[in-house]
Amino acid sequence: MGLEVAEQPVFLLGGGLNALEPAPFDTEAEFQALLACHPRILDFGSLADGRPLRLVLVAR
């Protein structure tokens, strides 16, 4: 019997596993504020040497 792959991403938060559900944002401003605080949630791949591409917030 093999392991089943979860349909949802699972993250370790505060010592427990939590499945995340897709949810809409109330406003565009809320979405922009979350991205400004957590730019690493966007994955743009990696450079040829394996280093991840990172975003830098210039302005909102």
Side-chain angles (χ1 to χ4, degrees):
M1 179 185 289
L3 293 175
E4 291 184 30
V5 177
E7 295 280 328
Q8 300 170 326
V10 177
F11 297 87
L12 182 62
L13 300 171
L17 293 177
N18 295 297
L20 299 181
E21 297 284 339
F25 295 96
D26 291 333
T27 65
E28 177 71 18
E30 177 187 13
F31 178 62
Q32 289 182 21
L34 287 169
L35 284 178
C37 290
H38 308 283
R40 290 185 176 188
I41 63 173
L42 298 177
D43 181 9
F44 285 95
S46 59
L47 299 170
D49 64 2
R51 291 181 297 150
L53 290 172
R54 296 287 186 218
L55 295 179
V56 175
L57 179 64
V58 176
R60 276 191 63 207

